[in-house]
């Protein structure tokens, strides 16, 4: 009788601070779902109270008035939403928890006193239909993009889903965060057309399906787009049709540049030269130093601002011609040491360096923690942004490797800190970075969302009227403020 | 004193049927705007009461209580919206009027008795800023996409805006319709990421700017997407930042197929073969017959279901390799007569045939009028759809050329009719076509919107709850129902 146990635990901790009705809510959930799917184990609650990144919730969740529920279907989600409405107990949907700003941390907005339902989609992890000829696939929201692509590969289907945020990210979370990744320079982001339709449970408990399965549709505004980047505040996605695209052979090239300005110009010229580029990833010289420190016994890189290019080519003719053109672009923009991995194996090895960049960032200061920032500016403003923040980091005496999805103007600095004082300084630098991005007509969040960490920038970035419109829509769709309250919309 | 003249004209026609307050509204507009920009000339009203296509309004607009206003700036639009609110006189924004379903026809929803303000954006036609390095451009909503691309060409900037609906379509109308065109197979639609941000005047008279100018942004849900496909019912777009993309050399290939099923399979395989295809346009055998009838003294085509491919290639190596691969794909799928236009001139000539397809459609029955349909289905369903509608057309004794953006599953049949009886029969066939599309998990409107013509399918297509959500949002943003009332949302 897990329920009884928890009610007892509850009375032991602080009977006064617990909303009695939430205890009832948890009982109501237990009455409907199998015991294993309504979890109030303090360790499980704790796990669900944190997500990757700087906005990690530090308060322990309120045992007894917080609960993790694991639905398996749209109907299960409806049941949870109905109970939530009846008891006015808020719901936070929880996917891969790879976002940076704490949007899925159900206790970061709700104090540990107020509690909430964490709706964990990890058991909604089925791929339901694959339509090879149509180039689409229907799945539940808890499926990870990595799993989608592995499944297609195993089945010998030469298609893939190109949005590639953090490993572990789920399709539902990717919609909710408005994610992207290294492939965005070729394929765009979650705001594009990769999500054909979604089944969504609204805060009213009603189910909608945003549209049908054709690639194009101009039947009014796309209600799916309301849920892209809404961080679970407007609806809970329970089924999605995603669009797939041909999986083409890729090769990798790398080159060093005298400075970020040259690298950035090379990136823009490469974007426009007609070569199929899947990724244009800029690692600044500090990141390259991190790679050297990380892989001490392996290859040592010139500690220069460098670009890793991923080239697509269906045949060797395409690949060779692409490499030839790209080399010219690099050399025309002051690049040196152009290296082209001619075989798949060499390409994988070279790309591994790029993939190691985040781990390598830590190697700059062993034992340090990292604050990972995420801003995006118009392409031409990237050098200015990186110069500004480089100066600030030097003045603050902090180390940070910088990694940019250069073809999109999206930059992450991994600011390292060792203690609370340095963390405070790092936070100041991260804040200035967001301000610089806004001054350069960019955004405080390129691909990781707002959550709780970036609410404070939203009015500056979008304007009071735009934020007011967002809030009006929130109020219309969720008048009881039950879906992920306290996130996204600034107070 | 144009105002006085019109007030007089008004009293001559039907004093009883004119809402007195609208006469006052028009006077209020005249008090603020120059005489030439507040137009009540019956011919001008009549011009603005029709758009291209089947839903053309047949009622003459109500002289005296309808007015066309030509704003030049966001501030002008705010002034018009404020007057509209004060007088409760509805506003319909009017762009290039190339949509098919009558969304911009301000008298098709409002009876000629009730009247309205037609906000014609043709004088908001400035390109304000071009950011070559960033690959974007800021313009007013009345600029035509053709003008954008001509301007870039004239300035020697090797970028273009790839959405290509009807000639004459304006950027504002393209957003409002959720348009696409022949390039969608490569570049997607207005629902994608081509509109970076927009300045929008809301029905409240407030101005929002949906976001800033970086390519990526995950700062909440994208409020711009509310206005894409909303047909001017939620806001009036007054300034837009559009994303540009490299303009690459193209070549054209054409091939005939035994039937639509073979052509469709070739199209899908071509999509996935790693060749950069900008367009995959399928003309059925009837359309090819139309081309022959249209160009009697020029080239005669085999009257087969045929595909026109537009290939992109930055260099000759890319183009030759693409043509080689494409030929293989065509031949593997039963295609014949593969013809590749090796020079730019030959490619232009070949593409002209595709561009003539609509005009050529009329050549099948000289003197007839055409009902142009627009449905979209998952790729694999296109042959079934075309078989179904072909049978219905034969049974009805009607001629129609069919044109499909095959890489997207988007099909237009140009149903010809000569008299009212045939028109009625044609309408029945068009209605069945929409039903087939829905049965095949597609949409009644691939790229031309809902307007008034397709409102009746919306609940079937999207479901009652989704339509209800759209209406709730409409009510939240436009509680007085002043922006393009009677369009898009079924009653």
């Amino acid at each position: 009788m897990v329920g009884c146990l928890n009610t007892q635990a509850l009375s032991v901790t602080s009977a006064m601070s617990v909303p009695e009705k939430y205890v009832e809510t948890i009982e109501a959930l237990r009455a409907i779902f199998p015991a294993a799917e309504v979890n109030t184990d303090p360790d499980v609650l704790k796990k669900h109270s944190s997500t990757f990144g700087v906005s990690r919730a530090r308060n322990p969740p309120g045992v007894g008035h917080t609960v993790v529920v694991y639905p398996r279907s749209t109907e299960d989600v409806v049941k949870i939403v109905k109970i939530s409405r009846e008891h006015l107990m808020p719901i936070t949907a929880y996917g891969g928890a790879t976002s940076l700003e704490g949007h899925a941390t159900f206790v970061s907005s709700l104090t540990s006193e107020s509690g909430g339902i964490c709706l964990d989609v990890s058991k909604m992890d089925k791929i339901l239909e694959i339509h090879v000829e149509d180039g689409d696939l229907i799945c539940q929201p808890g499926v990870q993009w990595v799993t989608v692509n592995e499944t297609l590969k195993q089945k010998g289907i030469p298609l893939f889903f190109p949005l590639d945020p953090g490993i572990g990210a789920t399709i539902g979370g990717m919609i909710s965060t408005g994610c992207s990744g290294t492939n965005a320079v070729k394929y765009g982001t979650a705001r594009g057309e990769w999500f054909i339709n979604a089944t969504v449970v609204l805060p009213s408990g009603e189910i909608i399906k945003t549209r049908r399965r054709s690639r194009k549709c101009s039947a009014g505004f796309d209600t799916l787009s309301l849920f892209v980047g809404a961080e679970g505040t407007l609806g809970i996605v329970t089924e999605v049709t995603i669009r797939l695209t041909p999986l083409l052979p890729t090769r990798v090239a790398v080159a060093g540049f005298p400075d970020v300005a040259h690298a950035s110009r090379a990136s823009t010229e490469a974007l426009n030269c007609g070569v199929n580029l899947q990724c244009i990833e800029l690692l600044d010289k500090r990141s390259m130093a991190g790679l050297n420190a990380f892989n001490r016994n392996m290859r040592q890189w010139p500690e220069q601002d460098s670009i890793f290019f991923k080239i697509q080519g269906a045949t060797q003719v395409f690949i060779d011609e692409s490499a030839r053109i790209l080399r010219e672009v690099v050399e025309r923009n002051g690049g040196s040491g152009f290296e082209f991995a001619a075989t798949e194996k060499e390409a994988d090895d070279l790309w591994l360096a790029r993939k190691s960049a985040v781990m390598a960032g830590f190697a700059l200061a062993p034992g340090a923690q990292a604050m990972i920032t995420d801003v995006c500016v118009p392409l031409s403003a990237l050098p200015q942004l990186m110069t500004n923040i480089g100066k600030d980091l030097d003045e603050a005496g902090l180390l940070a490797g910088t990694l940019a999805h250069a073809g999109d103007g999206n930059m992450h600095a991994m600011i390292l800190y060792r203690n609370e004082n340095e963390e405070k300084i790092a936070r100041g630098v991260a804040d200035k970075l967001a301000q610089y991005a806004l001054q350069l007509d960019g955004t405080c969040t390129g691909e990781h969302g707002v959550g709780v960490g970036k609410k404070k920038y939203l009015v500056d970035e979008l304007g009071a009227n735009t934020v007011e419109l967002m809030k009006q829509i929130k109020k219309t769709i969720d008048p009881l403020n039950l879906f992920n309250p306290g996130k996204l919309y600034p107070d």
Side-chain angles (χ1 to χ4, degrees), chain A:
Chain A
M1 303 305 288
V2 182
C4 290
L5 276 174
N6 271 282
T7 314
Q8 283 163 2
L10 179 69
S11 61
V12 173
T13 52
S14 168
M16 290 303 289
S17 66
V18 176
E20 193 65 28
K21 61 184 176 183
Y22 290 177
V23 179
E24 279 174 27
T25 317
I26 296 170
E27 290 308 313
L29 289 166
R30 286 192 203 285
I32 292 180
F33 291 97
E37 295 179 8
V38 181
N39 201 317
T40 52
D41 180 317
D43 287 342
V44 172
L45 296 183
K46 197 170 175 193
K47 176 182 167 283
H48 286 80
S49 73
S50 66
T51 59
F52 190 76
V54 289
S55 304
R56 195 181 292 265
R58 284 160 195 259
N59 300 325
V63 174
H65 45 288
T66 48
V67 60
V68 181
V69 194
Y70 299 85
R72 289 173 185 268
S73 66
T74 302
E75 292 65 37
D76 281 355
V77 173
V78 170
K79 285 176 195 163
I80 298 167
V81 170
K82 284 191 172 160
I83 287 175
S84 146
R85 285 176 68 82
E86 234 168 79
H87 296 253
L88 299 181
M89 186 168 181
I91 301 180
T92 297
Y94 187 91
T98 62
S99 60
L100 289 177
E101 303 301 335
H103 359 343
T105 60
F106 67 131
V107 291
S108 61
S109 64
L110 307 165
T111 64
S112 51
E113 281 72 33
S114 62
I117 299 168
C118 174
L119 189 153
D120 184 319
V121 296
S122 60
K123 294 188 179 174
M124 297 179 77
D125 62 348
K126 306 288 176 295
I127 294 175
L128 304 169
E129 295 174 24
I130 303 176
H131 304 121
V132 179
E133 275 185 83
D134 298 330
D136 65 50
L137 172 157
I138 305 179
C139 67
Q140 290 187 303
V143 179
Q144 298 180 8
W145 66 271
V146 171
T147 307
V148 167
N149 289 339
E150 275 172 4
T151 304
L152 292 167
K153 199 173 174 184
Q154 277 165 19
K155 289 182 184 289
I157 299 168
L159 299 170
F160 81 120
F161 185 64
L163 302 186
D164 63 335
I167 305 291
T170 59
I171 297 293
M174 289 161 73
I175 293 179
S176 297
T177 301
C179 78
S180 46
T182 65
N183 293 339
V185 67
K186 168 82 183 178
Y187 295 104
T189 78
R191 287 188 173 195
E193 300 187 69
W194 296 105
F195 302 107
I196 294 176
N197 66 47
T199 302
V200 183
V201 178
L202 299 178
S204 63
E206 284 173 314
I207 303 168
I208 63 166
K209 186 170 172 183
T210 56
R211 67 161 159 129
R212 288 165 178 250
R213 205 163 52 79
S214 55
R215 292 196 164 194
K216 286 167 50 175
C217 174
S218 63
F221 60 93
D222 187 7
T223 49
L224 193 153
S225 63
L226 283 170
F227 306 100
V228 176
E231 302 181 2
T233 62
L234 299 179
I236 295 167
V237 172
T238 61
E239 201 173 293
V240 195
T241 306
I242 60 177
R243 182 162 166 174
L244 306 172
T245 193
L247 181 68
L248 300 175
T250 57
R251 291 293 181 270
V252 174
V254 66
F257 294 86
D259 52 34
V260 170
H262 282 82
S264 195
R265 275 198 296 275
S267 159
T268 302
E269 199 179 322
L271 258 181
N272 294 340
C273 73
V275 166
N276 271 349
L277 287 166
Q278 186 169 321
C279 311
I280 307 179
E281 296 287 298
L282 168 58
L283 271 66
D284 78 339
K285 55 184 177 231
R286 200 84 77 178
S287 284
M288 297 306 285
L291 278 183
N292 287 340
F294 185 58
N295 287 323
R296 281 189 197 292
N297 301 322
M298 291 171 67
R299 170 174 184 163
Q300 293 293 298
W301 298 85
E303 295 186 4
Q304 270 190 305
D305 301 313
S306 301
I307 299 184
F308 289 76
F309 299 93
K310 193 182 270 188
I311 299 169
Q312 292 183 333
T315 64
Q316 196 59 43
V317 172
F318 281 130
I319 285 172
D320 291 344
E321 179 72 349
S322 298
R324 184 188 69 74
I325 295 172
L326 195 58
R327 180 192 290 270
E328 282 178 14
V329 168
V330 163
E331 289 173 357
R332 198 155 47 231
N333 288 281
S336 58
F338 182 84
E339 180 181 343
F340 175 68
T343 68
E344 196 175 339
K345 168 77 176 66
E346 284 171 24
D348 287 349
D349 288 348
L350 205 53
W351 195 249
L352 191 63
R354 161 59 191 84
K355 283 213 275 193
S356 310
V358 171
M359 290 310 297
F362 286 102
L364 288 170
Q369 287 190 277
M371 191 173 291
I372 300 177
T373 64
D374 167 35
V375 296
C376 189
V377 292
L379 301 186
S380 65
L382 191 59
Q384 183 67 56
L385 182 78
M386 289 176 73
T387 304
N388 288 2
I389 202 64
K391 275 188 197 156
D392 289 354
L393 285 163
D394 286 348
E395 279 171 25
L398 292 176
L399 279 176
T402 295
L403 175 63
H405 309 309
D408 300 308
N410 186 192
M411 188 203 103
H412 305 292
M414 268 183 73
I415 309 175
L416 300 172
Y417 60 92
R418 285 191 200 79
N419 52 49
E420 272 191 34
N421 183 45
E422 282 188 1
E423 184 183 3
K424 200 176 150 194
I425 298 170
R427 205 167 295 284
V429 173
D431 186 58
K432 279 187 83 175
L433 180 60
Q435 305 292 351
Y436 291 140
L438 298 189
Q439 284 159 21
L440 294 165
D441 214 1
T443 174
C444 71
T445 174
E447 57 184 7
H448 285 277
V450 177
V452 288
K454 287 186 170 164
K455 280 163 52 169
K456 61 183 168 189
Y457 305 116
L458 220 61
V459 170
D460 265 4
E461 179 169 331
L462 303 176
N465 286 346
T466 302
V467 170
E468 192 46 48
L469 175 63
M470 294 168 84
K471 286 176 158 183
Q472 273 179 24
I473 287 168
K474 165 73 172 167
K475 231 176 265 177
T476 301
I477 297 181
D478 185 15
L480 301 173
N481 197 23
L482 289 173
F483 275 27
N484 210 10
K487 313 293 170 61
L488 181 57
Y489 313 98
D491 307 319

